[in-house]
């Protein structure tokens, strides 16, 4: 594990965060469009604060150790999550799955929607974690790159498998062994977030678009193609198309992907690199085909039957939001029980029916079909075995790599 975490951000990293804030995944709302953060959006004040940071104090040797667990005497748990990332009742006054958990276990849940973006949230809890103090939260939900950082710094508690029988048994294979937490010793996924190819079948003249090669080389699509301004998504999809594994690529592989995309830019095959604003152009047909986020596609298809998606034979990128128990959390066992509860198929199905993200829990299809048959058959919510087998994750990056890669990517997209 690292003994300290350099936090001074390069100009390229700051630019990537600004893109995410203004038009990227960090700018999207939970219900209307996909929200997921590759770098995470950053409030202007938080950006200035992080940009001014140097190297913080060394990680405490005991930072990852649990404080005394008060779960047995204090039947409560505090859960911090993103907005609209939990089911609500029809009258919008209750949270059915949380209420059922309390009724069953007697554990009261203090549920707070206080995560607006990854970097801003990390800025809130980092001083306490670095000082070995309780953050006041027993369970948090953060995107994979931040989960990796928190684990690497020793600021997440190792989970007790005896409290997680459903999670251990039911986590989907595609989410079971991320490189930053092999075997899920410290975390479990809350949702999966796929990056796919989307196209407007009317704009393509009825033709299917199902590969990055087609996006980059098909002359009939020239000037009507877009890629994402989030580096991990665009580079990850391009690496896959070139036969490279986004989980194991080298600097040379990365440069090869940049070069491949640059050729398409130079010949004006690619119209532009976008955040979530590609959705309007795709729906109108100004963009015929693109790399996009699955959550967007679900929303667009509800209003436009011409919108289609494809999973490339080469594979696709999936990121995830993940549950962690912070160091020094007061109610670790209660947090683990709540985490495990959401891996029971009936509960997982109820959650998936509301939030419409990829469910990381095996065995929910029949349960979800009882709620909504169309959701149960939607592979953007429940990937079938063939689709799940093609899922790949972008590997964790060191601070040095992230700076270098973002600089190269910013030059490519003209940011």
């Amino acid at each position: 594990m690292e003994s300290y975490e350099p936090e001074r951000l390069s100009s390229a990293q700051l630019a990537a965060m600004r893109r995410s804030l203004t038009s990227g995944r960090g700018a999207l709302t939970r219900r209307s469009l996909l929200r997921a953060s590759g770098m995470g959006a950053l409030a202007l004040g938080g950006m200035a604060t992080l940009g001014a940071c140097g190297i913080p104090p060394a990680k405490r040797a005991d930072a990852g150790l649990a404080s005394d667990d008060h779960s047995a005497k204090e039947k409560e748990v505090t859960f911090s999550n993103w907005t609209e990332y939990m089911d609500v009742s029809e009258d919008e006054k209750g949270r059915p799955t949380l209420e059922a958990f309390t009724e069953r276990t007697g554990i009261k849940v203090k549920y707070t929607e206080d995560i607006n973006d990854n970097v801003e949230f990390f800025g809130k809890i980092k001083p306490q974690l670095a000082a070995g103090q309780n953050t006041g939260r027993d369970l948090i939900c953060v995107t994979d790159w931040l989960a990796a950082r928190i684990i690497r710094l020793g600021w997440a508690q190792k989970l007790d498998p005896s409290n997680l029988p459903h999670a251990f048994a039911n986590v989907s294979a595609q989410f079971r062994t991320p490189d930053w937490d092999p075997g899920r010793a410290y975390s479990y996924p809350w949702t999966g977030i796929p990056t796919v190819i989307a196209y407007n079948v009317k704009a393509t003249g009825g033709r299917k678009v199902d590969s990055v090669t087609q996006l980059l080389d098909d002359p009939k699509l020239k000037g009507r193609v877009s890629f994402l301004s989030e580096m991990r998504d665009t580079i990850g999809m391009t690496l896959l198309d070139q036969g490279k594994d986004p989980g194991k690529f080298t600097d040379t592989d990365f440069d090869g992907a940049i070069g491949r995309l640059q050729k398409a830019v130079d010949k004006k095959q690619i119209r532009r690199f976008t955040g979530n604003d590609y959705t309007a152009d795709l729906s109108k047909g100004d963009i015929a085909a693109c790399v996009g986020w699955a959550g967007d596609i679900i929303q667009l298809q509800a209003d436009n039957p011409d919108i289609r998606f494809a999973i490339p034979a080469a594979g696709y990128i999936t990121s995830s939001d993940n549950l962690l128990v912070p160091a020094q959390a007061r109610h670790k066992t209660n947090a683990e029980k709540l985490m495990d509860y959401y891996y029971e198929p009936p509960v997982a199905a109820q959650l998936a029916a509301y939030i419409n993200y990829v469910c990381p829990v095996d065995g929910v299809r029949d349960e979800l079909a009882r709620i909504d048959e169309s959701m149960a058959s939607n592979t953007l919510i429940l990937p079938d075995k063939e689709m799940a087998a093609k899922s790949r994750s972008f590997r964790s990056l060191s601070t040095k790599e992230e700076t270098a890669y973002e600089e190269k990517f910013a030059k490519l997209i003209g940011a």
Side-chain angles (χ1 to χ4, degrees):
M1 289 185 178
E2 297 180 2
S3 60
Y4 57 81
E5 178 81 348
E7 288 295 335
R8 186 177 296 279
L9 301 179
S10 69
S11 59
Q13 287 173 302
L14 289 171
M17 290 177 179
R18 291 189 184 99
R19 290 197 303 273
S20 185
L21 175 63
T22 57
S23 63
R25 288 183 292 182
L28 309 182
T29 62
R30 289 278 175 188
R31 294 293 289 166
S32 62
L33 290 171
L34 176 68
R35 196 290 324 155
S37 176
M39 265 302 280
L42 192 63
L44 295 179
M47 189 176 293
T49 300
L50 282 178
C53 284
I55 297 175
K59 175 178 70 67
R60 291 169 55 97
D62 62 347
L65 300 179
S67 59
D68 292 337
D69 190 351
H70 298 267
S71 293
K73 293 182 178 180
E74 300 175 3
K75 305 294 283 184
E76 60 186 84
V77 61
T78 300
F79 182 8
S80 285
N81 206 348
W82 300 81
T83 58
E84 299 194 45
Y85 227 14
M86 179 65 71
D87 57 302
V88 298
S89 58
E90 290 187 8
D91 62 8
E92 298 186 352
K93 294 181 179 180
R95 301 187 184 279
T97 58
L98 287 177
E99 291 163 3
F101 173 78
T102 297
E103 184 176 353
R104 180 200 297 185
T105 64
I107 299 170
K108 295 182 179 179
V109 183
K110 181 182 178 181
Y111 184 76
T112 308
E113 295 178 321
D114 62 345
I115 304 179
N116 296 309
D117 65 72
N118 287 288
V119 178
E120 182 184 44
F121 181 69
F122 187 52
K124 291 179 183 178
I125 64 175
K126 187 178 71 172
Q128 293 145 311
L129 291 171
Q133 299 172 350
N134 181 8
T135 67
R137 300 166 175 87
D138 301 305
L139 193 63
I140 61 175
C141 182
V142 294
T143 304
D144 44 22
W145 67 268
L146 180 54
R149 177 179 295 182
I150 291 172
I151 293 169
R152 186 171 68 243
L153 288 167
W155 292 346
Q157 295 193 45
K158 193 169 185 178
L159 301 173
D160 182 349
S162 67
N163 292 327
L164 295 155
H166 296 97
F168 181 80
N170 295 333
V171 63
S172 299
Q174 73 179 100
F175 297 105
R176 190 173 288 275
T177 55
D179 68 343
W180 46 270
D181 188 18
R184 292 291 181 180
Y186 294 89
S187 70
Y188 273 93
W190 182 250
T191 52
I193 306 157
T195 301
V196 300
I197 290 177
Y199 62 100
N200 184 319
V201 71
K202 184 176 181 179
T204 64
R207 295 184 305 118
K208 183 177 183 179
V209 180
D210 60 3
S211 72
V212 170
T213 291
Q214 195 173 355
L215 292 175
L216 295 176
D217 293 337
D218 187 342
K220 294 182 179 179
L221 298 176
K222 183 174 181 178
R224 298 188 297 149
V225 168
S226 69
F227 279 72
L228 294 168
S229 58
E230 296 279 1
M231 182 265 289
R232 288 168 174 81
D233 298 297
T234 286
I235 296 297
M237 293 290 282
T238 305
L239 284 168
L240 283 167
D241 191 69
Q242 294 179 306
K244 306 296 183 180
D245 184 349
K248 299 178 181 179
F249 67 89
T250 65
D251 288 348
T252 299
D253 296 333
F254 184 91
D255 290 344
I258 289 285
R260 179 83 172 90
L261 290 161
Q262 186 64 59
K263 288 180 180 178
V265 170
D266 292 343
K267 67 181 182 181
K268 302 188 185 305
Q269 179 77 9
I270 297 176
R271 181 168 180 164
R272 61 191 182 108
F273 293 86
T274 76
N276 65 294
D277 48 326
Y278 72 88
T279 56
D281 286 343
L282 181 65
S283 188
K284 290 186 296 184
D286 293 341
I287 290 292
C290 63
V291 170
W293 293 305
D296 291 352
I297 310 311
I298 293 174
Q299 297 296 325
L300 290 175
Q301 286 180 326
D303 298 319
N304 187 341
D306 293 327
I307 302 302
R308 310 288 170 83
F309 77 93
I311 303 301
Y316 66 102
I317 293 292
T318 300
S319 57
S320 60
D321 284 340
N322 307 270
L323 300 174
L324 301 172
V325 178
Q328 304 300 325
R330 189 175 176 89
H331 309 105
K332 176 176 181 284
T333 298
N334 291 344
E336 291 169 336
K337 289 180 179 179
L338 181 59
M339 190 183 301
D340 192 63
Y341 169 72
Y342 279 99
Y343 272 79
E344 297 179 20
V347 180
Q350 191 170 347
L351 179 68
Y354 181 80
I355 65 175
N356 295 172
Y357 281 70
V358 168
C359 180
V361 182
D362 279 342
V364 302
R365 190 173 304 279
D366 290 344
E367 298 290 345
L368 188 55
R370 294 188 182 97
I371 300 171
D372 188 323
E373 181 63 43
S374 66
M375 289 186 182
S377 60
N378 189 332
T379 54
L380 295 181
I381 297 175
L382 291 182
D384 56 24
K385 289 184 179 180
E386 182 181 0
M387 180 173 169
K390 294 179 180 178
S391 172
R392 299 291 183 272
S393 296
F394 199 92
R395 71 170 173 82
S396 302
L397 301 178
S398 68
T399 301
K400 181 179 178 180
E401 285 178 322
E402 189 163 35
T403 296
Y405 293 167
E406 287 289 2
E407 287 176 351
K408 292 176 181 178
F409 188 69
K411 183 178 180 180
L412 168 73
I413 68 176

